[in-house]
């Protein structure tokens, strides 16, 4: 286990800023996911942590020890690559043993013939074999030890790559989109195994992915990057429920959050051509409401909020996607017909719902996220207005 600190990491390639001053403190034993769209700089940051790239400026510390200038082998870090990087001519056992052979044996003892007569090799190889077998048992791949990578499935190759990294007893475990080459069903399986591996090992994990589902389900914390900038770091639920800005709210959550333009006066807010019984204390002008699809409830539905402050908006559907356990309804509010809105509705015991083309929806004011004209989150919630008095 190890604590990892990144301080103001910057990196450019050919005059293009890839990382723009990234600072993150990864706790000892934490699972941190770096998430963002392709090209946001997350893989570059991972390579800088491992020592495969050198930052233009900034500092990397492991357990308070500066390692920015140290070689990769001096950092006690293991890395699993997207393409697994297994040696095709070696067996699973040989692939897994290779990091220990490179670390523990002198050059002459690694050679096939000379190694047979090397006292160092004779002393070290039993311990290496024991370590490989122990890790293979942990990953449930003991039956694959004599196979070569070409004889393995994608999931099996992934486990071998994990095993080759684990045998080194690293303090920090880096993963660069390790599930991207797997099919959907296998991704779920291996995702669970990696989560269990983290819990059992207690190692510090830094995991790179563009898939928010992986980041949200596996991580203690998520760091969201965009165009080389760190937008927010926090627990998965925090990024979902309390995004710092519009970009975080847009990226986190599936289906994507709805954004609704509103105008605020001193005593009322307006959505399109409809006035809302809400106000923002001391604020007027243009704002944006963020509204999660599951926070919009058809009137009369069992989960709909029942309160005097509930907002009622007429909705017209244009498309219904039946996902089995839920419906994803596309359409628009009558007050704002040009803005696409998505409604996520759980089915009741899997039964289909007979929704008319137009129906009223109910929204609780506390479910509204408010963003200013620059896209920054306003923590203040819209206040209900009752009989001209602020509630």
């Amino acid at each position: 286990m190890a604590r990892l600190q990144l301080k103001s990491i910057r990196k450019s390639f050919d005059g293009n800023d890839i990382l723009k001053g990234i600072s993150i403190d990864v706790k000892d034993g934490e699972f941190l996911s770096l998430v963002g769209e392709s090209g946001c700089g997350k893989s570059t940051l991972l390579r800088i942590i491992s020592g495969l790239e050198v930052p233009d400026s900034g500092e990397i510390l492991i357990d308070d020890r500066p390692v920015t200038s140290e070689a990769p082998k001096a950092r006690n870090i293991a890395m699993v690559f997207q393409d697994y990087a297994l040696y095709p001519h070696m067996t699973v056992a040989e692939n897994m043993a290779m990091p220990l052979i490179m670390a523990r044996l002198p050059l002459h003892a690694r050679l096939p013939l000379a190694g047979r007569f090397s006292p160092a090799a004779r002393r070290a190889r039993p311990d290496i074999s024991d370590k490989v077998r122990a890790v293979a048992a942990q990953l449930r791949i003991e039956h694959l030890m004599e196979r070569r990578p070409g004889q393995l499935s994608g999931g099996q190759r992934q486990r071998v790559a994990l095993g080759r990294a684990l045998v080194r007893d690293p303090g920090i475990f880096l993963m660069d989109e390790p599930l991207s080459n797997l099919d959907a069903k296998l991704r779920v399986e291996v995702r669970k195994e990696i989560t269990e591996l983290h819990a059992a090992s207690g190692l510090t994990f830094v995991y790179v992915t563009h898939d928010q589902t992986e980041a949200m389900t596996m991580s203690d914390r998520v760091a969201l990057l965009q165009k080389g900038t760190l937008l927010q770091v926090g627990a998965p639920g925090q990024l979902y429920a309390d995004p710092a800005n519009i970009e975080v709210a847009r990226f986190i959550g599936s289906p994507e959050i709805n954004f609704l333009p509103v105008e605020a006066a001193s005593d009322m807010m307006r959505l399109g051509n409809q006035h809302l019984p809400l106000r923002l204390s001391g604020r007027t002008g243009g704002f944006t409401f963020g509204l999660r699809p599951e926070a919009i409830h058809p009137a009369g539905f069992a989960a709909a909020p029942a309160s005097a402050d509930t907002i009622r908006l007429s909705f017209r559907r244009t498309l219904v996607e039946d996902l089995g356990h839920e419906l994803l309804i596309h359409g628009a509010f009558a007050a704002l017909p040009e803005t696409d809105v998505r409604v996520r509705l759980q089915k009741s015991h899997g039964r289909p719902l007979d929704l008319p083309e137009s129906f009223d929806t109910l929204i609780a004011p506390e479910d509204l996220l408010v963003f200013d004209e620059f896209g920054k989150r306003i923590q203040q919630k819209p206040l209900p207005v009752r009989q001209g008095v602020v509630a």
Side-chain angles (χ1 to χ4, degrees):
M1 296 187 291
R3 179 188 178 193
L4 171 67
Q5 293 169 277
L6 307 177
K7 297 185 176 182
S8 301
I9 300 297
R10 294 182 176 274
K11 183 67 178 179
S12 298
F13 291 108
D14 299 324
N16 297 315
D17 292 333
I18 306 301
L19 297 172
K20 304 172 184 178
I22 304 297
S23 296
I24 306 174
D25 190 343
V26 187
K27 300 171 188 174
D28 192 350
E30 184 176 28
F31 194 128
L32 177 84
S33 286
L34 303 175
V35 67
E37 297 173 348
S38 297
C40 70
K42 54 189 185 295
S43 291
T44 299
L45 184 59
L46 202 73
R47 291 175 63 83
I48 286 174
I49 295 170
S50 70
L52 297 177
E53 296 281 356
V54 179
D56 296 334
S57 63
E59 191 175 19
I60 306 164
L61 295 94
I62 297 176
D63 286 336
D64 298 319
R65 176 174 63 91
V67 299
T68 315
S69 302
E70 289 190 356
K73 65 181 181 180
R75 302 187 184 196
N76 194 26
I77 287 176
M79 187 164 177
V80 176
F81 296 92
Q82 183 176 349
D83 59 359
Y84 316 133
L86 300 176
Y87 299 108
H89 63 289
M90 292 184 178
T91 65
V92 166
E94 290 167 341
N95 265 284
M96 291 177 61
M98 185 53 62
L100 297 179
I101 291 172
M102 297 296 292
R104 298 183 185 182
L105 298 182
L107 177 60
H108 71 276
R110 301 175 205 159
L111 301 175
L113 291 177
R116 295 179 185 177
F117 306 101
S118 167
R122 285 198 297 271
R123 286 193 300 269
R125 286 192 181 275
D127 288 340
I128 292 174
S129 295
D130 289 346
K131 181 65 176 179
V132 168
R133 280 195 296 270
V135 172
Q138 184 180 356
L139 295 171
R140 300 189 298 278
I141 56 174
E142 310 101 302
H143 60 293
L144 305 176
M145 301 303 281
E146 298 307 315
R147 297 188 192 178
R148 287 180 168 76
Q151 299 170 300
L152 305 177
S153 67
Q156 290 169 338
R157 286 197 293 271
Q158 180 62 73
R159 291 185 186 95
V160 175
L162 290 172
R164 187 178 59 182
L166 276 175
V167 294
R168 297 178 48 200
D169 291 325
I172 299 174
F173 204 90
L174 308 181
M175 296 185 174
D176 190 6
E177 305 219 34
L179 309 186
S180 60
N181 293 329
L182 306 181
D183 61 49
K185 182 180 179 182
L186 198 51
R187 274 202 303 272
V188 174
E189 242 179 76
V190 180
R191 192 169 75 205
K192 177 175 176 287
E193 290 178 0
I194 292 174
T195 305
E196 291 173 346
L197 177 63
H198 172 256
S201 68
L203 297 175
T204 303
F205 276 36
V206 181
Y207 185 99
V208 160
T209 180
H210 65 274
D211 185 332
Q212 60 164 291
T213 301
E214 290 179 21
M216 297 288 281
T217 56
M218 300 171 71
S219 316
D220 297 316
R221 286 193 302 157
V222 175
L224 179 56
L225 278 70
Q226 184 183 76
K227 298 179 180 178
T229 299
L230 181 63
L231 295 184
Q232 189 173 355
V233 183
Q238 180 186 359
L239 267 65
Y240 182 83
D242 191 19
N245 55 50
I246 275 183
E247 295 307 321
V248 176
R250 178 180 286 118
F251 190 90
I252 301 295
S254 179
E256 188 177 302
I257 192 171
N258 299 297
F259 291 115
L260 310 173
V262 293
E263 289 288 331
S266 59
D267 61 347
M268 195 70 69
M269 303 188 81
R270 191 177 74 250
L271 176 72
N273 61 15
Q274 182 171 337
H275 285 85
L276 304 177
L278 300 172
R279 74 188 294 268
L280 287 174
S281 181
R283 292 178 179 266
T284 60
F287 298 91
T288 299
F289 278 165
L291 185 58
R292 296 288 180 188
E294 58 270 25
I296 305 172
H297 307 277
F301 185 61
S307 166
D309 302 325
T310 299
I311 303 164
R312 182 179 288 262
L313 294 173
S314 180
F315 182 86
R316 183 177 183 275
R317 64 175 174 82
T318 56
L319 174 68
V320 177
E321 295 182 72
D322 190 336
L323 304 179
H325 63 294
E326 66 182 12
L327 298 177
L328 183 57
I329 307 165
H330 300 261
F333 292 122
L336 210 63
E338 300 302 317
T339 301
D340 293 333
V341 172
R342 292 162 296 280
V343 178
R344 185 179 187 177
L345 187 59
Q346 293 290 326
K347 286 185 178 181
S348 177
H349 305 293
R351 293 193 298 267
L353 298 171
D354 186 17
L355 289 171
E357 185 174 337
S358 295
F359 52 90
D360 281 356
T361 61
L362 303 177
I363 299 164
E366 57 267 24
D367 287 334
L368 294 168
L369 305 176
V370 186
F371 302 92
D372 66 17
E373 59 183 310
F374 304 107
K376 185 178 179 181
R377 173 81 182 285
I378 298 173
Q379 291 296 333
Q380 179 186 342
K381 288 288 186 181
L383 299 171
V385 176
R386 302 192 190 102
Q387 300 177 350
V389 179
V390 178

